[in-house]
Amino acid sequence: MTARNLGGAMACATLALGLLLPVIAEGQDSALVYIPNTTGTVDAEGRALTTVEDQTRRALDRLGEALQARGLDFAHVVVSNVFLKDTRDFQAMNAIYRTVFAVDPPTRATVRADLPDPDARIQISVVAARGPKRVVTPQGLRSPELPYSWGIQVGRTLFVAGATSRSPDTYRPVRGDVETQTRRIFGNIGMVLEEARMGYGDLVSCRVFLDDPRAFEEMNRAYAGFVPADDPPARATVRSGLMNVLFSTEIQCVAEASVDRRVVIREGGQRGPRPFSPALSTGNRLYLSGMVGSGPQGVPLEVDLQTRNALENLRATLEAGGMDFSHVVDAWVYLADIRDWGIVQEVLHEVLPQGAPSPTVVGTPLMGSQLRVEIQMVAER
């Protein structure tokens, strides 16, 4: 989650140099700062870094610089998404990561993904908050042995860490099929929500990282038993390698207490049978599901056309919520083939207004064999 306020050719140049210009979202909570795609493939003198330890250290240094440029520091980070090219780097990454986030660490999800920078072993995207934050540690839910917090509350918004199927008493993995694991995950998420004086009806957006896409419908069955039927949260679901082979899924969520909660559907659209809304409005903030742009009746399209169709679906949904692309503060692009990023980037620069936030970009298979790109957004007035 991050953002460089760039447009056109300037955006391309900035991406190539790896510079970061955060986007500030002044919302109903304290201002949120989104910083995406932080890597550390070269040191300050331009020498190549090849080990995950060195790259993690350098990525965190660059993240600290980006935060400092906005008058912030690591203590302001509330959400971290870590993407590793190789799951075997997990423990080595954590050894460096915990030196920076030693006290009240941000919530976190860590998955394997292909990265836009072919030399990167690690990529980090974060959300930081300017105002006060509250670390949410539920009674009865054992504190994680890894450097992340179960939940962090900022104003009326709660960020919930990527949860896997773990015993609340021991933190040990709870094995079982994907439905069993999904139910255990939501049991733990429910404890975080309760500690924050919220419930499943306050969930507004989730990301589901699924180890095997063939388990998609089974996951949906268990998932639907916890989210509200009338106004389920927005969602994106992608295939990602998880950090423990015993886990079949990891779910990361955002909750927001709002009396203005409502489902937003573009004109002529419909919610569909699966347990997520096209978009969910909480008043000043609009959470959009990951949207795709496949052809009619599943006819495959080139990635540029899929990107344009996905953006049109997003534009129409934003319009139904009384917003447009200028209100977008955070965006994620999931690519079935990371080599398509250059083409997708050109379409984004053409369609989105100058100043639109740069997206978090990861390569990961989608939930349809013909799908090549999925885009998820958050907008604020």
Side-chain angles (χ1 to χ4, degrees), residues 6-9 11-12 344-354 358:
L6 302 169
C12 296
V344 172
Q345 185 184 35
E346 289 180 4
V347 177
L348 292 175
H349 290 158
E350 178 185 336
V351 175
L352 299 181
Q354 186 172 4
S358 291

Side-chain angles (χ1 to χ4, degrees), residues 196-213:
R197 298 184 179 181
M198 294 186 185
Y200 295 119
D202 294 310
L203 292 173
V204 291
S205 182
C206 293
R207 294 189 183 99
V208 178
F209 302 103
L210 193 62
D211 181 63
D212 186 343

Side-chain angles (χ1 to χ4, degrees), residues 142-169:
R142 188 179 178 90
S143 295
E145 298 168 357
L146 297 169
Y148 68 87
S149 297
W150 281 119
I152 291 184
Q153 195 167 12
V154 179
R156 68 187 196 187
T157 302
L158 173 69
F159 300 98
V160 182
T164 50
S165 180
R166 292 186 180 274
S167 165
D169 299 321

Side-chain angles (χ1 to χ4, degrees), residues 2-4 6 11 13-22 36-37 62 66 358:
T2 128
R4 287 159 281 186
L6 302 169
T14 302
L15 181 67
L17 293 172
L19 302 179
L20 296 172
L21 299 177
N37 301 342
R62 296 184 65 234
S358 291

